Amino acid sequence: MTRRSGACLVIACGVLALDVISKIVVVARMQPYPAHTRLLGGVLTLQLIRNPGAAFGLGASYTVIYALIAVGVIVFILRSRRAVRRIDRKSTRL
């Protein structure tokens, strides 16, 4: 693994961790809709609204399928990156 790949992996894991932690904090501290939390003197208002679907409220029963598709796309990108790097190395030798 290259230094750049390692940095990307660390950043991705950090963003995922922040996402999960923020969701845990919000669910633990906020009341569900229609209640709201005002911040900064009312400049910012937060409401806890649950999305029953996987994407934009659609496909509530397809959440697992969407996750598998996302994992497949990630694997494809990683494999393609390696192939592109090999092609790039060959073209610079010519």
Side-chain angles (χ1 to χ4, degrees):
M1 180 181 289
T2 65
R3 181 177 282 172
R4 185 180 295 171
S5 297
C8 288
L9 182 62
V10 168
I11 291 169
C13 289
V15 169
L16 177 63
L18 287 173
D19 179 60
V20 170
I21 290 168
S22 67
K23 288 177 182 177
I24 290 170
V25 170
V26 166
V27 169
R29 296 195 175 210
M30 288 188 69
Q31 297 296 319
Y33 181 81
H36 59 274
T37 302
R38 291 180 180 224
L39 302 172
L40 303 172
V43 173
L44 180 64
T45 302
L46 301 176
Q47 292 181 322
L48 175 60
I49 300 175
R50 299 236 181 218
N51 178 6
F56 311 108
L58 303 172
S61 60
Y62 297 113
T63 304
V64 173
I65 293 171
Y66 289 140
L68 291 174
I69 290 170
V71 168
V73 168
I74 291 168
V75 168
F76 174 78
I77 289 170
L78 292 174
R79 286 184 160 204
S80 297
R81 182 182 56 110
R82 289 181 187 152
V84 168
R85 188 179 298 150
R86 275 188 241 124
I87 292 169
D88 187 43
R89 286 181 188 158
K90 287 180 183 178
S91 67
T92 56
R93 290 181 196 162
L94 298 176

